[in-house]
């Protein structure tokens, strides 16, 4: 089990601050939760707490980006994606500015605070914005890689971060699709932390003689269809999983890409249906909305019939 994604991201921010003098971090009075406080302690003159004012924070970051800085805006995903949408669109994306939008507590990970704090529409919103790249890491190592990658970009990047510690996936040199389990019978494409449950599901399926291939797919935009296409050419079946509403999310990205490429296969998707979620312990809450090893295995079995 790796350290929590937010801890890894905070530590990486502080580490990269030493080698990237242009890096500045802006916070909306939640740095103890997002762990950006680690950067603030190391570089107090490059850390700005603007208070509970996400839209204002985004505009400040945009202004700093025009002056040669590379800002990281770190706050809860739900409030960045919704309260600051207008500013992200008009000041950052329209001007294609190098601002990193780090959305903490993504998906259902702010589980006990309920629907008002659970970010289940952010991927759909962010991927619809021109010039915005979207990355949803699956574990702490991918979160660190996402930040390193984003600092090389000359335009905006949205990184959706999770609150909790998740099991480590097979390592890769850079952020991108990773084959976590090899198989020939069904492809399971998992976005974000759902990859860990997909790996568990593959082990369950193996007991029934079904060899599932699990791909962790953190980069939603720009989307690289090739790894999935290669896997599906072998298996003929695809199950997508995401911690997000199905409308406009990861499964939608995959479906659009497959249609454009003329790729056909047996298909299913697990995500949150057209509903608001509720409060509760994180993993039982995920399971209620279908994100569990058992449900993933059952849906994969159905595809294989």
């Amino acid at each position: 089990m790796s350290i929590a994604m937010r801890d890894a991201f905070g530590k990486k921010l502080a580490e990269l601050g030493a080698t990237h003098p242009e890096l500045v971090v802006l916070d909306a009075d939640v740095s103890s939760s997002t762990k950006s406080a680690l950067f603030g302690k190391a570089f107090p003159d490059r850390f700005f707490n603007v208070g509970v004012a996400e839209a204002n924070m985004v505009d400040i970051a945009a202004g700093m980006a025009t002056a040669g800085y590379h800002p990281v805006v770190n706050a809860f995903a739900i409030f960045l994606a919704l309260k600051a949408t207008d500013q992200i669109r008009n000041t950052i994306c329209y001007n294609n500015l190098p601002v990193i939008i780090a959305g903490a507590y993504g998906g259902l990970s702010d589980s006990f605070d309920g629907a008002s704090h659970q970010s289940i529409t952010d991927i759909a919103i962010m991927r619809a914005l021109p010039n915005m790249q979207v990355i949803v890491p699956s574990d702490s190592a991918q979160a660190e890689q996402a930040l390193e990658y984003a600092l090389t970009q000359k335009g905006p990047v949205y990184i959706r971060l999770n609150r909790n510690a998740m099991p480590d996936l097979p390592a890769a040199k850079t952020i991108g699709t990773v084959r976590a389990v090899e198989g020939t019978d069904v492809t399971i494409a998992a976005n974000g932390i759902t990859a860990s449950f997909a790996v568990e599901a593959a082990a369950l399926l193996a007991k029934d003689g079904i060899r599932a291939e699990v791909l962790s797919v953190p980069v939603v935009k720009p989307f690289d269809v090739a790894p999935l296409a290669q896997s599906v050419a072998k298996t003929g079946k695809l199950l997508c999983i995401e911690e997000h509403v199905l409308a406009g999310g990861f499964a939608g990205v995959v479906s659009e890409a497959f249609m454009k490429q003329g790729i056909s296969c047996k298909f299913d998707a697990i995500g949150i249906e057209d509903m608001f979620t509720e409060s509760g312990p994180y993993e039982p809450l995920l399971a209620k909305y279908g994100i569990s090893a058992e449900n993933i295995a059952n849906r994969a079995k159905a595809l294989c019939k």
Side-chain angles (χ1 to χ4, degrees):
M1 182 77 73
S2 68
I3 65 171
M5 198 180 291
R6 59 176 178 164
D7 291 311
F9 192 81
K11 289 178 180 179
K12 196 64 176 179
L13 270 178
E15 176 187 319
L16 291 172
T19 55
H20 291 72
E22 77 283 4
L23 175 59
V24 293
V25 176
L26 293 89
D27 162 67
D29 210 26
V30 288
S31 63
S32 61
S33 297
T34 66
K35 303 306 179 181
S36 63
L38 297 172
F39 182 93
K41 184 177 180 180
F43 306 99
D45 58 333
R46 288 154 57 192
F47 179 78
F48 305 90
N49 180 4
V50 305
V52 185
E54 290 84 1
N56 184 45
M57 178 173 62
V58 166
D59 277 343
I60 294 170
M64 296 177 83
T66 68
Y69 293 101
H70 204 143
V72 174
V73 174
N74 198 188
F76 284 22
I78 184 77
F79 302 129
L80 287 172
L82 294 178
K83 291 186 177 182
T85 317
D86 185 22
Q87 289 71 25
I88 291 172
R89 177 191 183 275
N90 288 326
T91 61
I92 293 177
C93 292
Y94 185 71
N95 296 292
N96 199 25
L97 295 175
V99 178
I100 298 166
I101 311 292
Y105 287 62
L108 299 175
S109 64
D110 197 356
S111 61
F112 286 105
D113 286 336
S116 65
H117 283 60
Q118 293 162 3
S119 190
I120 59 171
T121 59
D122 54 322
I123 296 169
I125 293 167
M126 289 297 173
R127 84 174 185 97
L129 296 174
N131 294 323
M132 181 68 79
Q133 297 186 56
V134 179
I135 304 175
V136 187
S138 298
D139 62 11
S140 294
Q142 288 187 7
E144 294 174 0
Q145 290 175 337
L147 179 58
E148 290 174 326
Y149 167 81
L151 280 171
T152 69
Q153 300 303 293
K154 299 187 183 302
V157 181
Y158 177 68
I159 304 174
R160 187 216 242 190
L161 300 166
N162 189 276
R163 179 184 186 277
N164 304 68
M166 303 302 296
D168 292 323
L169 294 171
K173 292 183 179 179
T174 57
I175 192 72
T177 299
V178 177
R179 182 183 289 105
V181 180
E182 291 192 20
T184 55
D185 296 325
V186 59
T187 301
I188 303 177
N191 181 240
I193 59 91
T194 67
S196 298
F197 297 97
V199 170
E200 292 180 35
L204 295 176
L205 290 165
K207 294 177 181 178
D208 292 329
I210 298 172
R211 297 181 60 198
E213 181 148 286
V214 177
L215 300 179
S216 164
V217 190
V219 182
V220 175
K221 180 186 175 186
F223 181 65
D224 180 10
V225 70
L228 265 66
Q230 291 166 5
S231 180
V232 168
K234 176 173 55 176
T235 66
K237 309 168 199 71
L238 175 61
L239 174 62
C240 289
I241 316 164
E242 59 189 305
E243 189 188 13
H244 187 271
V245 293
L246 289 170
F250 173 66
V253 173
V254 175
S255 299
E256 291 165 17
F258 270 40
M259 289 295 287
K260 287 180 181 178
Q261 297 273 340
I263 302 168
S264 61
C265 64
K266 292 185 69 175
F267 176 80
D268 194 9
I270 296 173
I272 298 164
E273 302 292 340
D274 186 22
M275 64 180 66
F276 286 102
T277 45
E278 61 186 79
S279 304
Y282 186 44
E283 292 206 10
L285 199 59
L286 288 172
K288 173 166 184 171
Y289 299 104
I291 302 170
S292 68
E294 292 76 14
N295 186 55
I296 294 168
N298 288 335
R299 296 280 281 270
K301 284 180 189 175
L303 274 179
C304 290
K305 287 182 180 178

